[in-house]
């Protein structure tokens, strides 16, 4: 398939391109578009055939449910059974990087929800995403625009790397501001369960809802969803093709460990600018400074892709603390590393 690649910075100035992209979605085609979290691979969320195309383009198992992207929080009414907690969260965090899971209404095809009785809804804040959903006049089903198992694309360059030839159009809207996929919270009855940590943190959710539980998966523990790639490799997701190893220890121990490893093996290192200065030499991929979690989040997936391209036998990165935005980073890194963590 020939993929058209277009650039849109300001949707108001590119109204005709947005209309054309929306037309592709309405006609059952696929459009990759930027959001504030990561690039999405969008299709008509009310059309089972479009959902099938999304799964095929990603090479993703079709029991993995898709998120429906809506233009405004009240748009959920047509597709899900909303409740007071939904509107409290919507008031606080929508539009933005939060996905809410509710009981679905029959209009949502089973193919979109992977047969589940629930549906995931998100209202993105990115102006291009918002304009596209509004112009389409439908909910847009959109998983991350990567081939299944690879790091999510956080710039058009990476979306093109994975999706060129697999979709009708890719909209280049620059780099994603957050760089990690949305926080996912499931609401049922009185309960709220954090399924995936993201830029809307656990603490922020607790400011709005009285009680939020954290699932084992959100804490980075292994679940049946983590796909075994090869025997011995256990489970990988968001993963580069070279093995990734997380190091847990002090700044000094980290520098010493890497120096020693570099003398015996060809390794790539994802590190902060300060650490890069201390280490010097080649095969260093920069993330944010220690404690600057927003920058670390923004750069995480591109760092994994860039580290992979260096073709080293192994990639090292530091294990982030599992709280605040660090929990979202930890959750992605520990999966990318197949849970290989070394205490140094
Ligand atoms: P992605 O679109 O790539 O960010 O991934 C979407 C993720 O949302 C899926 O892998 C599921 O983990 C989660 N999800 C979507 N819909 C549901 C649902 N109805 N129930 C539970 N999890 C869901
Ligand atoms: Mg994904």
């Amino acid at each position: 398939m020939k993929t058209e690649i277009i650039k849109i910075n300001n949707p108001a100035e590119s109204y005709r391109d947005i209309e054309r992209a929306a037309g592709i979605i309405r006609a059952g085609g696929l459009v990759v578009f930027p959001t504030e979290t990561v690039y999405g691979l969008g299709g008509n969320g009310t059309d089972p055939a479009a959902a099938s195309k999304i799964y095929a383009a990603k090479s993703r198992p079709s029991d993995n449910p898709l998120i429906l992207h809506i233009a405004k929080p009240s748009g959920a009414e047509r597709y899900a059974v909303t409740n007071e907690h939904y509107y409290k969260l919507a008031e606080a965090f929508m539009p933005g990087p939060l996905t809410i899971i509710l009981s679905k209404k029959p209009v949502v095809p089973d193919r979109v929800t992977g047969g589940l009785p629930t549906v995931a809804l998100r209202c993105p804040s990115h102006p291009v995403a918002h304009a596209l959903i509004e112009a389409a006049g439908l909910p847009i089903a959109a998983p991350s625009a990567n081939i299944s198992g690879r790091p999510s694309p956080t710039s058009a360059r990476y979306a093109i790397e994975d999706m060129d030839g697999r979709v009708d159009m890719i909209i280049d809207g620059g780099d994603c501001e957050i760089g990690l996929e949305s926080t996912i919270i499931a609401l049922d009855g009185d309960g709220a369960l954090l399924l995936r940590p993201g830029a809307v943190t656990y603490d922020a959710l607790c400011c709005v809802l009285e009680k939020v539980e954290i699932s084992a998966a959100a804490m980075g523990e292994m679940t049946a969803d983590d796909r075994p790639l090869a025997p011995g490799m256990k489970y990988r997701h968001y993963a580069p093709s070279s093995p990734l190893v997380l190091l847990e220890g002090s700044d000094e121990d980290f520098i010493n460990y890497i120096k020693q490893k570099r003398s015996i093996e060809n390794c790539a290192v994802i590190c902060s600018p300060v650490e890069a200065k201390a280490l010097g030499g080649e095969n260093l991929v920069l993330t944010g400074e220690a404690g600057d979690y927003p920058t670390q989040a923004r750069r995480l997936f591109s760092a994994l892709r860039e580290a992979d391209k260096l073709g080293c036998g192994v990639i090292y990165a530091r294990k982030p603390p599992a709280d605040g935005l660090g929990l979202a980073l930890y959750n992605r890194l520990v999966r990318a590393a197949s849970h290989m963590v070394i205490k140094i």
Side-chain angles (χ1 to χ4, degrees):
M1 166 189 298
K2 172 102 182 89
T3 301
E4 183 184 356
I5 299 171
I6 59 168
K7 242 190 165 75
I8 302 182
N9 292 321
N10 179 350
E13 285 168 9
S14 304
Y15 182 73
R16 292 171 68 158
D17 282 339
I18 292 282
E19 265 304 323
R20 229 152 40 77
I24 291 172
I25 302 245
R26 278 195 300 270
L30 301 184
V31 176
V32 169
F33 62 99
T35 82
E36 69 278 19
T37 57
V38 301
Y39 272 73
L41 166 55
N44 179 351
T46 63
D47 175 7
S52 297
K53 281 192 190 173
I54 292 174
Y55 291 123
K58 274 183 76 75
S59 308
R60 173 177 187 161
S62 57
D63 59 354
N64 199 339
L66 305 173
I67 295 173
L68 287 190
H69 292 73
I70 52 180
K72 54 179 195 286
S74 61
E77 296 293 344
R78 280 185 70 167
Y79 310 105
V81 183
T82 58
N83 54 33
E84 191 196 336
H85 284 172
Y86 172 79
Y87 278 104
K88 276 190 173 173
L89 289 171
E91 172 83 24
F93 304 114
M94 288 186 181
L98 179 67
T99 296
I100 300 180
I101 293 175
L102 295 165
S103 290
K104 84 174 186 77
K105 288 188 174 169
V107 62
V108 182
D110 283 340
R111 196 118 194 109
V112 166
T113 63
L116 292 173
T118 51
V119 62
L121 294 150
R122 179 163 114 75
C123 180
S125 64
H126 193 292
V128 172
H130 179 82
L132 180 63
I133 299 162
E134 202 148 69
L138 321 146
I140 297 185
S144 49
N146 53 286
I147 293 184
S148 190
R150 305 238 304 150
S152 298
T154 50
S155 80
R157 171 165 91 255
Y158 300 126
I160 292 166
E161 222 167 70
D162 281 16
M163 288 299 150
D164 195 10
R166 293 172 173 246
V167 298
D168 298 285
M169 180 185 270
I170 296 175
I171 301 177
D172 176 350
D175 292 348
C176 300
E177 199 182 317
I178 292 171
L180 297 179
E181 307 86 346
S182 58
T183 301
I184 301 181
I185 189 168
L187 299 180
D188 74 272
D190 293 337
L193 180 65
L194 177 64
L195 293 176
R196 178 171 75 185
V200 174
T201 62
Y202 172 71
D203 290 344
L205 292 166
C206 291
C207 291
V208 176
L209 300 183
E210 247 164 56
K211 195 158 165 250
V212 182
E213 284 184 46
I214 309 187
S215 68
M219 285 308 289
E221 283 163 37
M222 267 188 257
T223 68
D225 271 359
D226 295 314
R227 198 161 59 100
L229 258 200
M233 256 343 278
K234 286 183 280 186
Y235 303 91
R236 304 193 85 202
H237 194 195
Y238 309 112
S241 33
S242 306
L244 170 72
V245 177
L246 300 188
L247 302 176
E248 184 176 8
S250 70
D251 295 353
E252 195 186 337
D253 290 342
F254 174 70
I255 299 294
N256 290 337
Y257 186 90
I258 296 294
K259 280 186 175 160
Q260 192 242 332
K261 280 291 173 191
R262 278 170 135 190
S263 66
I264 53 170
E265 69 185 12
N266 186 21
C267 55
V269 185
I270 297 175
C271 61
S272 73
V274 164
E275 289 157 355
K277 220 169 177 181
L279 288 166
E282 293 180 340
N283 298 334
L284 303 174
V285 179
L286 293 187
T287 179
E289 290 294 6
D292 180 0
Y293 300 121
T295 306
Q296 290 183 24
R298 200 175 314 122
R299 292 192 186 158
L300 176 69
F301 289 135
S302 62
L304 289 174
R305 284 181 184 248
E306 294 308 321
D308 213 18
K309 285 178 191 154
L310 296 172
C312 299
V314 58
I315 304 168
Y316 291 108
R318 290 188 75 170
K319 175 180 172 275
D323 62 6
L325 186 53
L327 179 62
L329 278 160
Y330 172 69
N331 172 284
R332 306 312 189 275
L333 272 167
V334 81
R335 285 190 164 72
S338 308
H339 297 263
M340 279 190 285
V341 180
I342 297 178
K343 282 202 165 109
I344 50 175

